[in-house]
Amino acid sequence: DIELCDVLDALIADPETKVVACYAEGFRDPSRFVRCLAAAAAAGKPFLLTKAGRTEVGAAAVRSHTASIAGSFE
């Protein structure tokens, strides 16, 4: 199994990737995700993120879609 940060690591290391765009419903390892953001910045790659579950309705939609816990938007 792979998770979001596995894919991000590959995209950040790929010399052909100039920008990383991401849609996330949740994070298994938030500290690893922060390290990915730092690595993208160090590589000079802009990072665009859409995080689902900002509102209560959005969080409920995420839970029903993947059984993921969207967590607090903050």
Side-chain angles (χ1 to χ4, degrees):
D1 288 339
I2 62 171
E3 63 105 11
L4 174 62
C5 291
D6 297 327
V7 176
L8 295 179
D9 285 340
L11 292 172
I12 293 164
D14 177 23
E16 297 298 314
T17 300
K18 305 300 181 207
V19 176
V20 178
C22 177
Y23 170 89
E25 293 181 346
F27 304 100
R28 287 187 191 170
D29 185 345
S31 61
R32 183 177 176 202
F33 180 73
V34 170
R35 289 192 302 273
C36 287
L37 295 177
K45 297 183 181 191
F47 193 101
L48 309 170
L49 172 67
T50 297
K51 165 68 171 74
R54 181 175 183 172
T55 65
E56 192 59 39
V57 171
V62 169
R63 283 190 301 274
S64 70
H65 178 245
T66 63
S68 173
I69 299 173
S72 169
F73 185 74
E74 291 81 32

